[in-house]
Amino acid sequence: MRGWWQELAGLVLPGDCAGCGAARAVLCPRCRDALSGAGAGPVRPAARRAGPVGLPDVHAGARYEGAVRAVVLAHKERGALPLAAPLGTALAAAVLRGGGGGAGAGAGELVLVPVPSARRAVRARGHDPARRIALAASGRLRRAGAPARVAPVLRPRRRVADQAGLGARERLENLAGALEVCRGGARVTAGARIVLVDDVITTGATLAEAARALRAAGLGVAGAAVVAAPADSFVRIRSATRTEQKSCE
């Protein structure tokens, strides 16, 4: 009921922009553009040069700063449910940037597997943020020609401590063995290209644990995608022109 009322209120009672506070706009054009996915690219956890063991290749749709950070938090913590659509746009761009869909991506259905929130967090928030954004992203991907769907096959196996304030090593220890594939999960994803999805990456511990759980169930992981990542985690890619110029000097 809480989620239903939040969604209705967001549709009929426009408030201030969640990104910058502009009056009477759920999301202003400038903040919506920040989530367009134009800056999507590969990322590595800033705290660890190569990321934790087992972390798949990760792509992000936007930089986790300013308006993007505000929108992610408004959706996640304050239940601004209509924001799932623009966040899904950024996530879909990250999936496409990583080769998860579209022309040349390879045969087979694309399945987005959201990282599950803790049950107590879902109860407190009234919704599962990653799952909702994944659903919005899958719709965007289908419109782009990629046969995509969402399969929430991961579930918490045990309780974990709050990740806030924990370092990279502590997060890995906290999450070790915390997730598992639900019964029938391997069957509903068989033969598909699986991409793990979440809203934000920090140390990479959560995505690494999710990938471990999928592999333990005999499932492959094609990659991972997130809505946003810290600016210093984006991998710089040299342009071919610059490399060629240097070789000719």
Side-chain angles (χ1 to χ4, degrees):
M1 285 297 293
R2 176 184 172 184
W4 185 84
W5 278 109
Q6 285 174 326
E7 188 139 18
L8 180 62
L11 290 172
V12 302
L13 299 173
D16 295 341
C17 173
C20 67
R24 298 195 62 76
V26 174
L27 196 63
C28 73
R30 184 174 181 179
C31 292
R32 189 176 295 275
D33 186 60
L35 288 163
S36 68
V43 294
R44 293 196 188 100
R48 300 171 67 93
R49 192 168 188 180
V53 174
L55 180 70
D57 291 340
V58 186
H59 286 74
R63 297 184 176 214
Y64 189 61
E65 58 189 11
V68 171
R69 181 178 183 275
V71 173
V72 169
L73 292 178
H75 174 262
K76 186 173 187 174
E77 304 297 348
R78 299 202 299 277
L81 305 184
L83 295 175
L87 291 169
T89 297
L91 181 59
V95 173
L96 290 171
R97 185 69 175 80
E109 187 180 32
L110 174 64
V111 170
L112 306 184
V113 175
V115 173
S117 298
R119 295 185 182 94
R120 62 183 181 278
V122 173
R123 287 194 297 269
R125 293 168 179 155
H127 74 123
D128 188 330
R131 183 172 179 176
R132 185 174 288 273
I133 296 170
L135 288 168
S138 68
R140 185 86 179 184
L141 288 165
R142 286 193 297 274
R143 290 191 292 274
R149 64 182 172 90
V150 177
V153 299
L154 287 173
R155 65 184 180 189
R157 184 182 175 199
R158 60 172 177 80
R159 289 176 66 96
V160 298
D162 189 343
Q163 295 277 81
L166 298 182
R169 183 182 295 277
E170 294 170 319
R171 289 188 177 211
L172 283 171
E173 294 173 351
N174 184 42
L175 290 170
L179 298 176
E180 66 181 359
V181 173
C182 62
R183 182 177 298 178
R187 176 178 52 80
V188 299
T189 56
R193 289 173 291 133
I194 296 176
V195 177
L196 281 165
V197 296
D198 205 354
D199 52 2
V200 177
I201 183 174
T202 49
T203 65
T206 304
L207 286 171
E209 168 57 19
R212 180 210 61 77
L214 288 171
R215 291 170 183 141
L219 298 172
V221 181
V226 295
V227 172
D232 60 356
S233 66
F234 278 79
V235 179
R236 293 183 180 180
I237 302 175
R238 293 182 183 178
S239 67
T241 303
R242 191 177 186 86
T243 303
E244 290 168 1
Q245 287 177 342
K246 190 171 183 179
S247 65
C248 292
E249 291 176 354

